[in-house]
Amino acid sequence: MRKIASFNVNGINARLPRLIEWLEKFQPDILCLQELKSDDARFPQEEIEKTGYYCLYHGQKAYNGVAILSKEQPKLIRTSLPDDPDPTQSRYIEAAIDNLTVSSLYLPNGNPLNSSKYDYKLAWFKAFLAHARSLWQQEKSVILAGDYNVVPSFDIKDIRNAAALADNALLAPDSLFYWRQLLAMGWTDSLRVRHPSEPLYSFWDYQAQSWPRDDGMRIDHILLTPDLADGLTDSGVDRQMRGQEKASDHAPVWIEIDDKK
């Protein structure tokens, strides 16, 4: 049995004490991190390694940044997508860990609509789709984990107040179209398949008392190939992390898999 988690930490050095506490308590076998907001020189590798984790990271000063932490030594595969529309932005890292291929991704937000930022989101999403298809065709055991900046539906099970996000890139038709293409390819949405109807959120904005009012949305996802989905035993969101002092505006999402079935 293995635990795999994904967490948009929103500044790894600002959240480091909470992150270390969570690693020691939750003990995931693999953790994918996004939005490090740190260049490689300032990544707290020594502090994290003391908790028993190897680190692979692809940082960027003040923005973006992704990492993979693992109890088993990971082997780096790549730090950008093939045909990445802007390789200067650190949004993707992929590694081999035992029998798994694991990616940590931070898909662009894309707001405002009808802007260069939205065009970039769609271009990045298209490149990611192409790479996801390539991984699928290799018939490997693959985990695609991260902050997708896409709400899967307008339903309350995925977002408390969809009307407030009218004309927002997180719910834009193109964003949902690309998300559904991933699922149509055969990838399993590991959180939703275990919790088909209950409200499940992973992000609560710092503004407008979103956390106390539970005005959240689900934009952090862990997608699985069929062999791993067959071994999925549980999944969820560790909401308590969002309620802590100096918390990220995201909470970790996690899965448990028996990939030896």
Side-chain angles (χ1 to χ4, degrees), residues 55-72:
C55 306
L56 292 177
Y57 46 91
H58 181 40
Q60 182 178 338
K61 185 178 180 180
Y63 299 98
N64 304 324
V66 285
I68 297 173
L69 314 184
S70 176
K71 290 184 176 180
E72 296 185 57

Side-chain angles (χ1 to χ4, degrees), residues 2-6 30-32 68 92-95 97 99-105 128 131 135 140-146 148 187-188 190 221-229 232 255-257 259:
R2 286 198 270 197
K3 292 181 183 179
I4 295 97
S6 181
I30 300 168
L31 173 61
C32 297
I68 297 173
Y92 188 85
I93 190 168
E94 182 178 304
I97 304 172
N99 63 317
L100 303 176
T101 299
V102 180
S103 72
S104 178
L105 64 110
F128 175 63
H131 186 52
L135 290 170
K140 295 180 178 180
S141 300
V142 183
I143 297 170
L144 304 176
Y148 283 68
W187 296 93
T188 293
S190 60
H221 311 297
I222 302 176
L223 300 187
L224 306 175
T225 46
D227 60 316
L228 296 179
L232 182 67
I255 63 171
E256 290 185 350
I257 55 171
D259 58 324

Side-chain angles (χ1 to χ4, degrees), residues 12-14 36-45 47 57 61-62:
I12 191 165
N13 288 298
L36 304 178
K37 295 183 176 178
S38 167
D39 58 22
D40 288 349
R42 295 184 63 247
F43 184 87
Q45 181 172 349
E47 292 90 333
Y57 46 91
K61 185 178 180 180

Side-chain angles (χ1 to χ4, degrees), residues 181-205:
Q181 280 203 341
L182 277 170
L183 301 187
M185 204 182 297
W187 296 93
T188 293
D189 178 355
S190 60
L191 272 76
R192 188 50 69 200
V193 76
R194 293 289 301 179
H195 307 275
S197 58
E198 70 179 86
L200 205 64
Y201 308 143
S202 64
F203 170 82
W204 299 259
D205 198 284

Side-chain angles (χ1 to χ4, degrees), residues 240-257:
Q240 63 86 24
M241 281 287 284
R242 179 60 180 86
Q244 292 187 351
E245 186 179 355
K246 296 183 179 179
S248 169
D249 44 5
H250 295 247
V253 297
W254 57 269
I255 63 171
E256 290 185 350
I257 55 171

Side-chain angles (χ1 to χ4, degrees), residues 6-258:
S6 181
F7 183 27
N8 180 321
V9 72
N10 191 10
I12 191 165
N13 288 298
R15 319 293 171 205
L16 187 59
R18 302 286 84 78
L19 177 63
I20 295 296
E21 289 171 3
W22 186 82
L23 284 170
E24 292 175 341
K25 177 182 178 182
F26 193 75
Q27 290 288 319
D29 296 281
I30 300 168
L31 173 61
C32 297
L33 293 172
Q34 303 85 40
E35 209 171 356
L36 304 178
K37 295 183 176 178
S38 167
D39 58 22
D40 288 349
R42 295 184 63 247
F43 184 87
Q45 181 172 349
E46 183 177 350
E47 292 90 333
I48 291 172
E49 286 180 343
K50 286 178 180 177
T51 67
Y53 288 88
Y54 295 97
C55 306
L56 292 177
Y57 46 91
H58 181 40
Q60 182 178 338
K61 185 178 180 180
Y63 299 98
N64 304 324
V66 285
I68 297 173
L69 314 184
S70 176
K71 290 184 176 180
E72 296 185 57
Q73 188 158 15
K75 182 180 179 181
L76 180 65
I77 298 175
R78 60 172 60 250
T79 56
S80 65
L81 293 171
D83 302 318
D84 193 313
D86 185 359
T88 66
Q89 296 203 31
S90 301
R91 294 186 175 274
Y92 188 85
I93 190 168
E94 182 178 304
I97 304 172
D98 191 22
N99 63 317
L100 303 176
T101 299
V102 180
S103 72
S104 178
L105 64 110
Y106 181 41
L107 207 142
N109 177 283
N111 283 301
L113 290 177
N114 303 314
S115 70
S116 60
K117 291 183 178 181
Y118 186 60
D119 293 341
Y120 171 55
K121 175 175 189 155
L122 299 184
W124 202 96
F125 215 155
K126 285 183 71 173
F128 175 63
L129 272 171
H131 186 52
R133 185 172 292 108
S134 174
L135 290 170
W136 182 271
Q137 292 169 349
Q138 294 172 37
E139 298 185 353
K140 295 180 178 180
S141 300
V142 183
I143 297 170
L144 304 176
D147 179 354
Y148 283 68
N149 269 315
V150 176
V151 180
S153 76
F154 288 82
D155 196 286
I156 195 170
K157 68 183 182 181
D158 288 319
I159 182 169
R160 178 68 65 186
N161 185 6
L165 260 69
D167 300 320
N168 190 292
L170 275 63
L171 275 169
D174 289 324
S175 299
L176 292 176
F177 174 74
Y178 288 148
W179 168 257
R180 290 165 183 159
Q181 280 203 341
L182 277 170
L183 301 187
M185 204 182 297
W187 296 93
T188 293
D189 178 355
S190 60
L191 272 76
R192 188 50 69 200
V193 76
R194 293 289 301 179
H195 307 275
S197 58
E198 70 179 86
L200 205 64
Y201 308 143
S202 64
F203 170 82
W204 299 259
D205 198 284
Y206 289 130
Q207 307 299 318
Q209 294 292 300
S210 294
W211 169 247
R213 295 189 296 109
D214 198 22
D215 187 5
M217 64 189 77
R218 188 168 72 96
I219 58 175
D220 301 273
H221 311 297
I222 302 176
L223 300 187
L224 306 175
T225 46
D227 60 316
L228 296 179
D230 287 345
L232 182 67
T233 61
D234 203 0
S235 64
V237 181
D238 194 354
R239 290 172 55 103
Q240 63 86 24
M241 281 287 284
R242 179 60 180 86
Q244 292 187 351
E245 186 179 355
K246 296 183 179 179
S248 169
D249 44 5
H250 295 247
V253 297
W254 57 269
I255 63 171
E256 290 185 350
I257 55 171
D258 181 358

